[in-house]
Amino acid sequence: MSTTSFNVPMRLRRNRKSEPVRKMVQETILMPQDLVAPLFVIDGMQKQEPIHSLPGVARLSIDLAVQEAQALYELGVCAVALFPIIDPRLKTPLPSEAWNPQGLLAVAIQEIKARVPHLCIIADVALDPFTPHGHDGLINDRGEICNDATIECLIHMSLMQARSGVDFVAPSDMMDGRVGAIRKALDEEGFQNVGIIAYSAKYASALYGPFRDALQVRLAFGDKKTYQMDPANSREALLEAALDEEEGADILMVKPASLYLDIIAKLRNQTKRPIAAYHVSGEYAMAMAADRLGWLDADKVLYETLLSIKRAGADIIFTYAARRILKNL
Ligand code: PBG
């Protein structure tokens, strides 16, 4: 056994001997205000559609999404992130539904803001729910995703969200330069108080499958590797985050979370900005699937996962487990 300089044995187990002692020395505490709950919104009234690959999560019509937002707020959650499921008939190559001021997303923002005014509303800024091919950007005739033309759409989308009442827009598209362009457009319209949560280091991950099921989006061709990051890279993530910060991002995000704790920890050393991490659909689904098989306890695995994400340096965690975890915190 190793010893202290006074030659008495080091007994680290003394600080683990009982629940209250362990609590006293606990370094990381997961709190309701750390969590952001994603909400999937559909048309209609009193509609609730379970998502088979995201057990415990459902697509909700706006009236039920308002109730869910209220319940989350009462449990201490500070923010929800909204994702609309768009009728395929409204999906067009130039996806103007993405900035329709009377569209599903706009109405969802307005309703939740009106009925749960102290809850912070975050809306995703990306074209994939609105394009027929499921990519996050506009496509040219060579099948490439066009960066700058897409940014024009993202600006329209951000302004529509700001006018509808969001607290934060969250560009998740990974086009270059979009944070600066969105910041400028928001400021020019007087939305200095609308913030930007930039999906800065968003990886081309295999863990987004259940989310795409939830949105009923399937990629018509290719993959997202020309805009989302290569999972092999970490320096590039720091560069992405530094650029977004320079362009005016208020909060920087790493996504996915638990397979990218090294990125969160490195970013923690680089920035003084708050860091968000997105515990994505596949991360949640893996724990739930193993639980169903009787192989793991989902509540314990999810708690440990979220704790590790916070320990690595994230201030805010987007997670489908919010509701489940909160009842145990
Ligand atoms: C869309 C978007 C995605 C997620 C959040 N916003 C999917 C994607 O990029 O394909 C994934 C979230 C999750 O898996 O939980 N831009």
Side-chain angles (χ1 to χ4, degrees):
M1 191 182 292
S2 52
T3 57
T4 69
S5 46
F6 298 103
N7 219 24
V8 294
M10 277 233 235
R11 293 194 183 276
L12 294 179
R13 287 185 54 203
R14 265 197 293 267
N15 285 347
R16 298 177 204 143
K17 72 174 185 179
S18 68
E19 183 75 26
V21 172
R22 287 194 294 274
K23 271 195 177 153
M24 270 200 308
V25 300
Q26 187 175 339
E27 297 175 34
T28 309
I29 302 174
L30 197 61
M31 290 187 293
Q33 68 243 44
D34 302 329
L35 307 181
V36 174
L39 293 181
F40 295 109
V41 187
I42 50 175
D43 260 324
M45 287 279 285
Q46 293 293 311
K47 270 174 57 186
Q48 178 166 7
E49 300 173 357
I51 302 157
H52 73 281
S53 52
L54 281 178
V57 182
R59 304 181 195 93
L60 302 173
S61 54
I62 292 175
D63 53 329
L64 297 185
V66 167
Q67 283 178 22
E68 180 67 9
Q70 177 72 39
L72 286 160
Y73 177 68
E74 282 164 16
L75 287 167
V77 166
C78 293
V80 293
L82 301 182
F83 297 95
I85 286 85
I86 301 301
D87 181 339
R89 287 168 302 187
L90 298 175
K91 299 187 185 189
T92 49
L94 181 68
S96 53
E97 182 59 23
W99 52 92
N100 177 358
Q102 273 108 42
L104 177 63
L105 180 57
V107 178
I109 295 168
Q110 291 158 17
E111 287 290 308
I112 296 175
K113 199 68 203 168
R115 291 170 208 263
V116 201
H118 301 299
L119 184 69
C120 172
I121 302 182
I122 301 165
D124 219 56
V125 176
L127 301 180
D128 54 317
F130 304 94
T131 53
H133 43 69
H135 277 288
D136 293 36
L138 303 182
I139 311 277
N140 67 16
D141 45 17
R142 291 189 299 272
E144 298 159 343
I145 316 292
C146 308
N147 196 87
D148 297 8
T150 298
I151 290 180
E152 291 306 312
C153 297
L154 302 177
I155 288 173
H156 292 313
M157 207 178 164
S158 301
L159 288 173
M160 176 282 276
Q161 295 179 357
R163 292 180 199 122
S164 304
V166 284
D167 296 278
F168 288 94
V169 296
S172 69
D173 55 287
M174 290 300 279
M175 297 302 119
D176 288 321
R178 88 282 205 216
V179 171
I182 291 171
R183 182 70 271 159
K184 184 162 172 280
L186 288 172
D187 287 350
E188 279 168 7
E189 273 222 26
F191 292 115
Q192 277 81 9
N193 290 332
V194 172
I196 301 179
I197 299 179
Y199 285 69
S200 299
K202 176 171 178 179
Y203 286 90
S205 171
L207 293 166
Y208 306 147
F211 173 92
R212 294 182 194 164
D213 291 343
L215 247 58
Q216 295 167 326
V217 167
R218 187 151 294 141
L219 278 185
F221 61 91
D223 52 42
K224 297 194 175 184
K225 290 180 186 169
T226 69
Y227 43 108
Q228 298 180 351
M229 281 188 47
D230 184 339
N233 295 356
S234 71
R235 292 190 306 265
E236 190 186 347
L238 299 179
L239 197 50
E240 281 282 4
L243 280 176
D244 285 354
E245 188 169 346
E246 233 173 80
E247 290 177 31
D250 300 280
I251 297 175
L252 305 170
M253 190 194 284
V254 175
K255 173 187 176 184
S258 59
L259 268 56
Y260 295 83
L261 296 182
D262 57 325
I263 309 299
I264 297 172
K266 284 178 184 160
L267 183 55
R268 183 69 290 162
N269 287 332
Q270 164 175 297
T271 184
K272 297 197 167 54
R273 289 286 182 182
I275 297 175
Y278 202 136
H279 174 244
V280 300
S281 58
E283 299 178 272
Y284 173 82
M286 287 193 288
M288 296 301 284
D291 182 279
R292 289 210 163 167
L293 288 166
W295 293 354
L296 291 173
D297 177 329
D299 282 331
K300 289 187 177 145
V301 171
L302 289 167
Y303 173 74
E304 187 176 331
T305 306
L306 299 184
L307 194 66
S308 74
I309 295 167
K310 187 166 181 190
R311 191 188 63 230
D315 304 286
I316 302 160
I317 307 171
F318 287 54
T319 179
Y320 303 95
R323 200 54 192 272
R324 237 191 132 81
I325 289 297
L326 283 169
K327 58 178 205 295
N328 300 326
L329 284 189

